[in-house]
Amino acid sequence: MMTTVDNRLQTLWEGCMRNDRKQQEMLYKMLAPKMLAVCMRYAKDKDEAQDILQEGFIKMFKNMNNYRGEGSLEGWIRRIMVHSAISRYRKAKSTILVDDFAGQNIPVSSSYNDNGLEARDLMNMVLELPSTYRSVFNMYAIEGFSHQEISSKLGMTELLSRTTLYRARTLLKNKLNELALRESHCMAG
């Protein structure tokens, strides 16, 4: 059963297929906030995320005829945004710096913050990761890509994808541990 939002999206999409500029603008306004959130996970800042968003919508409008009506339209557009972010990343990288943190001794602990860490706090921590780590982490943990797909899309080996994910998770654990330690110090005194 289609919801009101799905019906609205379908109506706008049909207008876009007729090249109705007003319908295209309305579709953009409807989906831009959600798609910007997707782009933010891959970008180093909001300006870059907005650039990815624009590139993604341009690709989407150029390739509207490729949507075959199978699956969610919003999901199809989301994939375009992710692929736009990946394309931008691949163009920007000259080399993949896996050893960004090789000189640092990063402690790994099994403790996690149980004091109500919010999703936005975790996303901010993800945004602080180096771009390669952030891209691999997002593609694997959030978008559900396999290491084989990640390696193909980012031009790295599967082993490098796995190693990069491990290091990204280690950095995130370390940040969570630091946060928990700071909170325990604040509560103690």
Side-chain angles (χ1 to χ4, degrees):
M1 180 178 257
M2 291 184 84
T3 65
T4 306
V5 173
D6 291 335
N7 288 333
R8 175 111 173 93
L9 183 59
Q10 188 59 40
T11 301
L12 290 173
W13 184 252
E14 289 166 5
C16 291
M17 293 297 290
R18 292 189 306 272
N19 208 24
D20 181 329
R21 297 289 182 217
K22 185 70 174 162
Q23 298 293 310
Q24 290 174 345
E25 180 184 351
M26 291 170 66
L27 177 82
Y28 176 87
K29 286 180 179 178
M30 179 180 182
L31 294 178
K34 282 184 185 177
M35 296 304 140
L36 182 61
V38 170
C39 297
M40 282 295 296
R41 291 198 305 262
Y42 292 89
K44 66 179 179 281
D45 57 33
K46 191 167 183 174
D47 288 337
E48 184 179 39
Q50 289 173 329
D51 289 345
I52 294 167
L53 179 74
Q54 293 303 320
E55 291 167 12
F57 269 106
I58 289 168
K59 285 180 187 177
M60 188 254 334
F61 284 124
K62 282 184 179 177
N63 295 294
M64 287 187 302
N65 293 326
N66 291 345
Y67 178 65
R68 297 182 294 263
E70 299 168 1
S72 159
L73 174 61
E74 189 173 323
W76 181 75
I77 295 169
R78 177 189 172 102
R79 280 191 303 281
I80 291 173
M81 297 301 157
V82 170
H83 287 282
S84 294
I86 292 167
S87 294
R88 186 176 189 81
Y89 167 79
R90 289 180 81 184
K91 287 177 192 170
K93 77 168 177 90
S94 55
T95 60
I96 296 175
L97 301 175
V98 175
D99 293 323
D100 289 342
F101 292 89
Q104 297 182 16
N105 184 16
I106 300 171
V108 179
S109 167
S110 61
S111 67
Y112 287 90
N113 180 8
D114 293 328
N115 297 329
L117 180 70
E118 293 185 26
R120 68 180 151 81
D121 297 324
L122 185 56
M123 287 310 300
N124 286 336
M125 289 178 189
V126 171
L127 289 174
E128 292 172 4
L129 292 171
S131 62
T132 302
Y133 291 33
R134 184 175 60 244
S135 293
V136 171
F137 181 83
N138 280 322
M139 291 174 75
Y140 185 86
I142 298 173
E143 303 298 337
F145 285 92
S146 69
H147 286 291
Q148 183 179 12
E149 292 169 316
I150 294 168
S151 67
S152 171
K153 293 183 183 308
L154 296 183
M156 62 173 59
T157 66
E158 280 186 57
L159 178 60
L160 185 54
S161 173
R162 290 177 194 281
T163 303
T164 304
L165 177 64
Y166 172 79
R167 290 181 178 175
R169 284 179 170 166
T170 301
L171 288 172
L172 289 172
K173 280 183 186 179
N174 189 45
K175 289 176 184 282
L176 287 170
N177 290 336
E178 287 175 11
L179 181 62
L181 187 61
R182 268 189 263 134
E183 286 182 4
S184 68
H185 278 96
C186 287
M187 294 178 125

